[in-house]
């Protein structure tokens, strides 16, 4: 939602003191596929969740300045790594107790590639890889003691998942809304933003100042985690001082 934890805290404090609605625009969390996965986890279909493996990467061409410019919050972590990170917070429901990261920086000083492991409750781990150096499968696998679910590409706005229980696979699809024929979409599947828009509308109509699904506590904890990941990789923004 911002460049670092310090800025996020300022936004949250202002919104809360002014009784204004504020939510990180994490559209991924509102897709029906993830609604279904959360339901499975809550009902114990997958057993106790033990691990998440997720990746998001593509080979950048150098044509999009914000991706590598530190003044604009450049780097893979803040641009695309946030999506698998947000999924880890969604799956495990708390901030990590241990963070280990390694990575490679561009000439501009921002992160090109970061690989990191998060430990949540004892025995619960997330392994995440994000990069601008190459195309990756852009999928995620959530593993529990009774089964697993694979979120197929693109994991940040999924339409297809595969559930595996006792060696038996079940495929489920959650098609995104089709755009009107006379209305050009911003980019592939951008109509999926309707789920987030509907959720925000419902919050505001109910007089809520925070979303119960994408909470400000999660946003604060993710910002803190991103700060620590950048520290370990050696990425510093001027806003950090």
């Amino acid at each position: 939602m911002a460049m670092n934890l310090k800025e996020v805290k300022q936004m949250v404090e202002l919104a809360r003191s002014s009784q204004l609605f504020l939510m990180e625009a994490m559209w991924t969390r509102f897709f029906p596929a993830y609604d279904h996965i959360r339901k499975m986890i809550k009902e114990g279909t997958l057993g106790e969740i033990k691990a998440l493996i997720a990746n998001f990467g593509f080979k950048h061409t150098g044509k999009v300045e914000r991706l590598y410019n530190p003044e604009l919050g450049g780097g893979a972590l803040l641009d695309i790594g946030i999506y698998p990170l947000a999924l880890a917070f969604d799956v495990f429901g708390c901030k990590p107790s241990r963070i280990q990261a390694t990575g490679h920086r561009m000439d501009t000083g921002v992160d090109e590639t970061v690989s990191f492991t998060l430990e949540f409750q004892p025995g619960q781990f997330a392994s995440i890889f994000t990069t601008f150096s190459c195309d990756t499968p852009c999928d995620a696998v959530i593993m529990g003691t009774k089964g697993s679910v694979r979120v197929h590409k693109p994991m940040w706005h999924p339409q297809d998942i595969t559930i595996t229980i006792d060696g038996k696979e079940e495929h489920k699809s959650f098609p995104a809304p089709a755009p009107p024929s006379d209305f050009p979409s911003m980019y592939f599947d951008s109509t999926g933003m309707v789920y987030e828009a509907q959720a925000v509308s419902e919050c505001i109509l109910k007089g809520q100042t925070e979303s119960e699904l994408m909470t400000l506590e999660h946003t604060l904890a993710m910002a803190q985690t991103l700060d620590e990941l950048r520290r370990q990789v050696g990425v510093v923004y001027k806003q950090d001082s």
Side-chain angles (χ1 to χ4, degrees), residues 5 85 88-90 92-99 118-122 124 217-225:
L5 177 60
L85 176 65
F89 272 79
D90 195 13
F92 294 110
C94 61
K95 66 180 181 181
S97 60
R98 187 168 55 158
I99 301 169
L118 309 175
E119 182 175 11
F120 291 86
Q121 299 295 333
Q124 294 182 325
E217 291 306 315
H218 266 198
T219 292
L220 287 162
M222 287 194 297
Q224 183 179 23
T225 301

Side-chain angles (χ1 to χ4, degrees), residues 48-64:
E48 183 182 359
I49 304 301
K50 291 294 186 179
L52 162 72
I53 298 177
N55 66 88
F56 190 167
F58 62 88
K59 185 174 177 59
H60 82 94
T61 61
K63 295 180 180 179
V64 182

Side-chain angles (χ1 to χ4, degrees), residues 21 198-212:
F21 180 82
Q198 288 173 341
V200 170
S201 176
E202 289 171 6
C203 286
I204 293 173
L205 289 173
K206 292 177 182 177
Q208 298 175 344
T209 56
E210 299 185 23
S211 165
E212 295 177 357

Side-chain angles (χ1 to χ4, degrees), residues 22 26-27 58 73 76-77 81 88 94 102 109-110 116 119 129 132 134 138 143 156 167 170 215 229 233:
L22 178 66
M26 181 54 63
W27 69 317
F58 62 88
L77 269 176
C94 61
T102 186
V110 304
F116 59 97
E119 182 175 11
F129 179 78
F132 287 154
C134 62
C138 296
M143 292 160 277
W156 66 97
E170 179 185 8
T215 68
L229 290 168
V233 178

Side-chain angles (χ1 to χ4, degrees), residues 135-194:
D135 294 331
T136 74
C138 296
D139 60 2
V141 182
I142 302 163
M143 292 160 277
T145 54
K146 293 182 180 180
S148 65
V149 57
R150 177 180 295 277
V151 183
H152 296 279
K153 179 181 182 177
M155 58 75 56
W156 66 97
H157 53 103
Q159 296 187 40
D160 299 282
I161 63 174
T162 299
I163 305 160
T164 304
I165 306 290
D166 295 329
K168 297 180 180 179
E169 291 189 352
E170 179 185 8
H171 185 80
K172 288 186 175 291
S173 293
F174 304 85
S181 58
D182 59 345
F183 188 82
S185 59
M186 292 175 59
Y187 48 81
F188 176 66
D189 282 349
S190 62
T191 54
M193 289 186 175
V194 68

